[in-house]
Amino acid sequence: MSTDVQRLYDERLGRYQATIALEPTDRIPIASGSCYLAEVYSGCTNQEIIYDADKWLQAEMAFIRDFPEVDALRDNRVWAPLYDAVGCKTYKLPGRDLPVRQQFQFVEEEYMQADEYDLLIKDPGAFMLEKFLPRVLGEYADHGSRRSYMAFLKAGMAQMMAANIMRNRSIQLQTVCGMPQPTTGAFVAPFDVLGDVLRGLRGALMDTYRRPKQVLEACDVLVDVMVRFALSTADPLRRYPIFVPTHKACFMSPKQFDTFYWPSFKRVLEKLIDAGYTIRAYLEGDWSQHWHHFLELPKGKVLCDIDTQGDIFKAKADFGHHQAISGGIPDSMFILGTCQEIEERVHHLCETVGKGGGFIINGGCNIPYDTKPENFRAMIDAIMKYGWYDKTLKPAPKPAPEPKYDIDAIAKQHRITPWEVKAAELGGVMGDEELIKKPWDTIEAMAFNWLWTWTM
């Protein structure tokens, strides 16, 4: 990486990290959590982006060349061949199930029966392999068949290919463009695991009345599962926040949220913060009844994306002094508004929500696919005009925080066949047991954590 590119990367990352930490920086960063416009701006179809990794990367580089003021870029997260290899039913994909220029769609169904809570609670690995995955992965539906064995074999190979694509993309954007990632790694709140893919919204909310004890016990079990899944996908250098999209909280009353959603979600957030990470939380819908709970977490550790339905000014007043927030431009303004309206909105946001820092101007959690490019340019120009705090400050990356505890003390790692079981089957080993045990347990953990990919 050239000196100039390294300087640009450090400056962008430092500006973004300082904003999350509520520390002084030179200006408001331009760092949407998801910039979907970047996928289609260069003319690629949605299908090309999710199937052709080279076109995806070239599209991002073209976007960065035309909008060099952007401080962090993330858009697509799907490499479709992996989803095809297992026959994933929870997504409809452009080009396969949808027109080539349409964005992917999530398919919510009741993939878990109400009487299966006890198995999920007692043995989450068995639940995933015996109940959930055969229902959501079509290639695994005929459990025990040659086709199902091949599906898992293909899935492992496809996962390696996907990981290499993501790694190459990140390296290219960093070393060629000096571009950091706004997030790396992901998880969902334990109640959202139930509400999104296991029971669906209707089933999960009905369960809070019919079997509240089992719902709470399931959420408790999913705390460490989600922590380990998040850590398995996070940036090992702890430069970037871990992403958590929230989906069902906006449908819950404060009493439901306080009882069923927040306690387990808070524990996941606390554990990831203890592991040395920050989090970027996509607060879908109107979270105004719930977002005061972020005051309970350590200051400057969670960046909250405020959706269009939320009130960015109320968010600033309620908890913006304790956690960074992002948002402020309605999606409809990006799509249908004028450049003048965008500039006036950005100016107002800079003078109000932007005061004191800890703020990123964004759409409702993302930059929509059908944003007018001239409106995105107008947002950037306005931030470069009104969004400065102190031009004498030189942003620089923060040292990666050390984990507060050993990871094993932070969250339990489930394994289907731990080394102790295998060692007993072998009746002991002749050489250094630790040389065999460590990679066995590491691969077991990787495989277990991968199972939860399909709850995202």
Side-chain angles (χ1 to χ4, degrees):
M1 182 164 38
S2 72
T3 303
D4 286 346
V5 173
Q6 180 70 60
R7 179 193 55 76
L8 186 58
Y9 174 82
D10 289 347
E11 180 181 295
R12 287 165 165 165
L13 180 60
R15 182 177 295 126
Y16 184 52
Q17 291 179 335
T19 298
I20 295 172
L22 305 176
E23 295 175 355
T25 190
D26 59 344
R27 68 162 167 81
I28 293 174
I30 301 165
S32 174
S34 301
C35 183
Y36 295 119
L37 172 64
E39 296 182 24
V40 296
Y41 170 77
S42 67
C44 287
T45 67
N46 300 68
Q47 180 187 9
E48 288 172 327
I49 292 296
I50 64 171
Y51 276 96
D52 189 328
D54 290 335
K55 285 195 172 181
W56 174 23
L57 179 58
Q58 292 308 313
E60 290 183 309
M61 289 186 163
F63 187 82
I64 293 168
R65 280 196 297 272
D66 285 0
F67 300 102
E69 301 90 345
V70 169
D71 291 299
L73 179 65
R74 169 187 179 271
D75 48 342
N76 174 49
R77 65 178 179 81
V78 171
W79 185 59
L82 171 61
Y83 289 66
D84 292 340
V86 295
C88 179
K89 298 178 179 177
T90 53
Y91 285 89
K92 289 186 180 297
L93 301 177
R96 190 187 72 180
D97 315 298
L98 302 168
V100 297
R101 292 194 178 277
Q102 190 167 328
Q103 69 185 88
F104 66 80
Q105 297 290 320
F106 182 72
V107 182
E108 183 178 305
E109 299 282 353
E110 285 193 14
Y111 296 111
M112 168 186 165
Q113 304 301 312
D115 62 0
E116 292 171 350
Y117 270 99
D118 287 343
L119 179 59
L120 170 63
I121 294 164
K122 180 182 177 182
D123 192 338
F127 166 79
M128 292 296 281
L129 288 168
E130 296 169 11
K131 302 296 182 182
F132 178 69
L133 293 184
R135 294 170 184 157
V136 300
L137 305 183
E139 294 296 314
Y140 189 56
D142 188 6
H143 199 179
S145 66
R146 284 179 293 178
R147 186 165 176 168
S148 71
Y149 292 135
M150 283 299 291
F152 268 83
L153 184 59
K154 290 190 297 182
M157 295 177 175
Q159 183 62 52
M160 286 193 295
M161 294 172 68
N164 191 51
I165 288 169
M166 299 300 180
R167 179 176 178 275
N168 177 63
R169 169 185 167 272
S170 179
I171 290 173
Q172 290 291 313
L173 293 184
Q174 178 179 339
T175 59
V176 177
C177 306
M179 182 58 62
Q181 303 295 302
T183 60
T184 296
F187 69 101
V188 290
F191 188 86
D192 278 337
V193 176
L194 298 177
D196 286 355
V197 295
L198 297 189
R199 299 284 293 133
L201 175 61
R202 180 180 179 277
L205 289 180
M206 292 293 286
D207 293 342
T208 63
Y209 294 98
R210 294 174 173 173
R211 41 184 62 82
K213 183 171 179 291
Q214 288 175 303
V215 171
L216 291 173
E217 289 178 353
C219 287
D220 282 345
V221 167
L222 290 169
V223 168
D224 281 3
V225 170
M226 284 296 106
V227 171
R228 285 291 189 164
F229 176 76
L231 294 177
S232 73
T233 57
D235 174 26
L237 301 180
R238 297 190 294 281
R239 296 165 297 180
Y240 309 133
I242 299 173
F243 179 57
V244 55
T246 69
H247 298 134
K248 301 302 188 267
C250 59
F251 300 107
M252 303 175 82
S253 70
K255 183 179 179 181
Q256 287 175 311
F257 180 88
D258 293 353
T259 303
F260 295 102
Y261 196 102
W262 180 247
S264 53
F265 185 34
K266 179 184 177 184
R267 286 167 56 203
V268 178
L269 295 171
E270 289 175 330
K271 285 170 179 269
L272 293 176
I273 292 170
D274 284 347
Y277 285 90
T278 55
I279 294 102
R280 185 160 186 165
Y282 181 123
L283 305 187
E284 189 169 54
D286 184 359
W287 259 70
S288 59
Q289 298 183 99
H290 312 313
W291 59 37
H292 63 278
H293 283 288
F294 287 103
L295 295 169
E296 300 168 22
L297 298 169
K299 187 175 181 178
K301 294 296 183 182
V302 184
L303 166 59
C304 294
D305 283 299
I306 308 302
D307 207 347
T308 294
Q309 293 89 338
D311 182 337
I312 194 74
F313 303 99
K314 179 173 172 53
K316 178 72 173 183
D318 287 355
F319 74 107
H321 57 285
H322 194 75
Q323 308 292 356
I325 58 176
S326 170
I329 299 182
D331 292 347
S332 59
M333 188 176 289
F334 272 123
I335 300 167
L336 302 171
T338 66
C339 294
Q340 181 64 32
E341 289 172 330
I342 292 283
E343 179 177 348
E344 291 172 359
R345 181 70 175 181
V346 169
H347 190 189
H348 182 53
L349 289 168
C350 289
E351 291 190 335
T352 52
V353 186
K355 289 182 69 174
F359 178 52
I360 296 173
I361 293 178
N362 191 16
C365 295
N366 61 68
I367 304 296
Y369 285 98
D370 36 9
T371 294
K372 292 179 184 174
E374 61 267 31
N375 281 350
F376 188 72
R377 167 48 65 192
M379 181 195 76
I380 290 176
D381 289 346
I383 293 173
M384 300 304 288
K385 183 176 181 180
Y386 305 113
W388 290 93
Y389 297 117
D390 185 347
K391 292 186 178 181
T392 67
L393 293 177
K394 303 299 180 188
K398 297 168 67 68
E402 291 298 320
K404 188 178 288 186
Y405 311 107
D406 181 81
I407 298 300
D408 287 334
I410 292 175
K412 174 184 177 182
Q413 175 61 64
H414 292 267
R415 294 178 176 85
I416 301 296
T417 310
W419 169 250
E420 290 71 20
V421 173
K422 182 65 178 177
E425 292 173 356
L426 293 172
V429 299
M430 299 183 69
D432 185 341
E433 181 174 346
E434 193 59 29
L435 281 177
I436 308 172
K437 176 180 184 299
K438 186 174 180 180
W440 175 275
D441 277 344
T442 298
I443 296 170
E444 269 283 330
M446 290 171 63
F448 183 90
N449 294 333
W450 180 84
L451 300 177
W452 300 87
T453 301
W454 309 106
T455 64
M456 292 293 295

